[in-house]
């Protein structure tokens, strides 16, 4: 990785503007905001602690929710400052204003190792517009920019990209560095066999990823609703399963591309189908696909079947690199989660480098308690997909070269 890392910097006494992803899920209980999952805050702690112990003054920038460019205290970051203080067992200052005299005054009083969180950068419309005057005002509060907000790196905003132009050093934080190491570094020359497991709801969301990875992967294992658009391309009946009717030709094109490139492109050979989408449904196995026989009329495929699980396990066991994006069934409902769970278990126990990218896939893996068994679980949904598509992320491009 040619980008400057926070590990390369001289930090003592420096005012470091650290962009983090604190966009956590919250819940209102009697007018008090409670953070229901603080994973994102915890994930920023290694960089934060590195900066503090090196004697930097840490000024945190983050967005929260969608206040649409105006001050809306429903989206204040103040509760996050309080929560962070508990996590690091140290005071965390809070600036109710993002730029100007108020934060400047608070920052002038900071000692080395102190932490201050600025109010929601999205209270200013200039943030998402990547306005250069606003980016400059943010930059004037510090000496160095560090970006650890991988989940926001696919957006060119003032606090993720624009700010870098106004400071001499712009470095990646530890979380950002790990994301790039796995989703970019490991996958640029993957140990083969390189296996890609793809599922999720739509082919259309994943076309860019399929095309980019077709150049490198040896095998694709397909599941989730996207499988049934491929079925239609092959003339296999899909019953009431979710199909993207306008993507059937494209599915056909992908199947042909795989054949031409000698890439193994496996679709489920059996499925679970149901007439009712609910937590108490009892789906039935379709049995093996055969000529003209697929998903039953009036039934919907909601998970991969036992024979598919068996075949996919065999592929997983021999792979050296595994990338997984997209659940293989409607895993949110327990009766339809068994395929996703079985594949998660197989991936977890493989000896390959295992990388999980995508919001729902990571949720599924963690829900099964297997997050720690993977080499890496990405924290960015949209950002990880764009990186896998081979796109340059503006938040990464803006960083200084090493
Ligand atoms: P990720 O966030 O990991 O990229 P996606 O957002 O593409 O994954 O897809 C996740 C969604 O796909 C889940 O909400 C899941 O319920 C849905 N899904 C998976 N299989 C099916 C299916 N057979 N029918 C309908 N929806 C499905
Ligand atoms: Mg998703």
């Amino acid at each position: 990785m040619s980008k400057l890392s926070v590990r390369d910097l001289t930090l003592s006494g420096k005012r470091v503007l650290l962009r983090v992803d604190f966009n956590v899920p919250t819940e209102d209980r009697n007018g008090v905001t409670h953070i229901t999952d603080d994973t994102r805050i915890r994930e920023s702690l290694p960089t934060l602690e590195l900066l503090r112990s090196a004697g930097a003054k840490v000024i945190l920038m983050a967005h929260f929710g969608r206040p649409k460019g105006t001050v809306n205290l429903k989206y204040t970051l103040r509760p996050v400052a309080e929560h962070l203080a508990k996590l690091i067992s140290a005071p965390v200052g809070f600036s109710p204003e993002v730029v100007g005299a108020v934060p400047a005054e608070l920052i002038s009083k900071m000692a080395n190792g102190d932490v201050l969180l600025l109010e929601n950068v999205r209270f200013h419309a200039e943030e998402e517009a990547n306005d250069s005057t606003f980016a400059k005002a943010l930059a004037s509060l510090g000496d160095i920019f560090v970006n650890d907000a991988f989940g926001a790196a696919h957006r060119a905003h003032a606090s993720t990209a624009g700010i870098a132009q106004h400071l001499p050093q712009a470095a990646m934080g530890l979380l950002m560095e790990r994301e790039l190491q796995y989703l970019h570094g490991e996958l640029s020359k993957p140990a083969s066999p390189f296996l890609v497991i793809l599922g999720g709801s739509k082919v259309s969301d994943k076309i860019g990823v399929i095309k980019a990875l077709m150049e490198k992967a040896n095998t694709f294992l397909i599941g989730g609703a996207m499988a049934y658009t491929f079925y239609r391309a092959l003339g296999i009946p899909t019953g009431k399963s979710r199909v993207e009717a306008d993507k059937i030709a494209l599915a056909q094109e992908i199947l042909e591309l795989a054949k031409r490139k000698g890439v193994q492109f496996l679709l489920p050979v059996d499925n679970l189908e149901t007439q009712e989408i609910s937590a108490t449904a009892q789906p039935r196995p379709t049995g093996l696909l055969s000529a003209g026989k697929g998903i039953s009329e009036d039934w919907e495929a909601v998970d991969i079947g036992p024979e598919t699980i068996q075949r996919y396990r065999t592929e997983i066991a021999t792979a050296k690199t595994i990338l997984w994006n997209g659940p293989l069934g409607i895993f949110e409902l327990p009766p339809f989660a068994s395929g996703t769970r079985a594949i998660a278990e197989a991936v977890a126990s493989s000896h390959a480098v295992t990388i999980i990218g995508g919001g729902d896939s990571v949720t599924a893996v963690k829900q099964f308690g297997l997050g720690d068994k993977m080499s890496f679980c990405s924290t960015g949904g949209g950002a990880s997909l764009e990186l896998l598509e081979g796109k340059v992320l503006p938040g990464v491009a803006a960083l200084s070269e090493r």
Side-chain angles (χ1 to χ4, degrees), residues 258-334:
K259 204 176 272 174
R260 225 172 32 242
K261 292 198 171 285
V263 173
Q264 198 176 197
F265 199 88
L266 303 183
L267 295 169
V269 292
D270 64 341
N271 299 275
L272 299 186
E273 58 182 16
T274 185
Q275 288 191 303
E276 177 200 338
I277 302 288
S278 84
T280 53
Q282 294 188 308
R284 68 180 189 190
T286 57
L288 274 183
L289 294 180
S290 55
K293 186 177 159 294
I295 312 303
S296 309
E297 212 179 317
D298 291 329
W299 291 62
E300 178 175 350
V302 287
D303 199 359
I304 56 174
E307 182 59 30
T308 304
I309 292 173
Q310 214 39 52
R311 293 190 189 186
Y312 284 8
R313 270 195 192 124
T314 310
E315 297 293 334
I316 290 166
T318 54
K320 289 265 168 43
T321 309
I322 300 174
L323 171 71
W324 182 7
N325 173 277
L328 304 178
I330 306 179
F331 77 98
E332 295 92 336
L333 295 173

Side-chain angles (χ1 to χ4, degrees), residues 330-400:
I330 306 179
F331 77 98
E332 295 92 336
L333 295 173
F336 314 141
S338 51
T340 304
R341 180 190 290 272
I343 296 307
E345 284 166 355
V347 172
S349 59
S350 90
H351 299 294
V353 174
T354 51
I355 301 169
I356 319 299
D360 294 297
S361 340
V362 170
T363 302
V365 163
K366 290 193 172 163
Q367 189 178 302
F368 303 139
L370 297 169
D372 297 341
K373 298 259 161 54
M374 307 300 180
S375 307
F376 186 65
C377 290
S378 176
T379 57
S384 56
L385 278 183
E386 290 198 16
L387 196 57
L388 294 172
E389 287 171 18
K391 289 191 185 152
V392 174
L393 308 185
V396 176
L399 300 176
S400 316

Side-chain angles (χ1 to χ4, degrees), residues 120-197:
N120 194 342
V121 289
R122 288 198 186 164
F123 280 2
H124 293 256
E126 297 92 330
E127 161 65 4
E128 291 185 72
N130 197 11
D131 176 84
S132 71
T133 309
F134 179 67
K136 205 169 175 178
L138 275 174
S140 73
L141 299 173
D143 305 303
I144 297 173
F145 173 56
V146 174
N147 192 354
D148 221 11
F150 177 73
H154 57 317
R155 308 268 183 243
H157 293 168
S159 70
T160 61
I163 186 173
Q165 283 165 23
H166 305 286
L167 287 165
Q169 286 181 309
M172 49 188 180
L174 299 175
L175 176 64
M176 174 75 84
E177 192 172 0
R178 256 171 76 73
E179 292 276 1
L180 297 175
Q181 179 198 331
Y182 279 99
L183 295 175
H184 186 82
E186 288 281 348
L187 297 182
S188 62
K189 283 200 178 72
S192 99
F194 175 25
L195 178 69
V196 177
I197 308 171

Side-chain angles (χ1 to χ4, degrees), residues 13-81:
K14 295 281 170 58
R15 297 169 302 164
V16 175
L17 287 155
L18 174 61
R19 179 60 158 98
V20 287
D21 185 358
F22 281 174
N23 196 21
V24 287
T26 56
E27 195 175 86
D28 185 277
R29 290 185 215 140
N30 305 318
V32 182
T33 304
H34 286 265
I35 294 163
T36 52
D37 179 356
D38 67 355
T39 307
R40 285 184 169 156
I41 301 176
R42 288 176 188 276
E43 267 159 344
S44 72
L45 295 182
T47 302
L48 184 60
E49 293 298 1
L50 180 151
L51 291 170
R52 290 185 66 217
S53 58
K57 299 167 185 174
V58 188
I59 303 141
L60 295 162
M61 304 179 291
H63 76 274
F64 179 51
R66 296 181 183 277
K68 306 213 170 92
T70 55
V71 176
N72 178 347
L73 290 180
K74 192 177 157 216
Y75 300 108
T76 178
L77 277 167
R78 197 183 280 275
V80 174

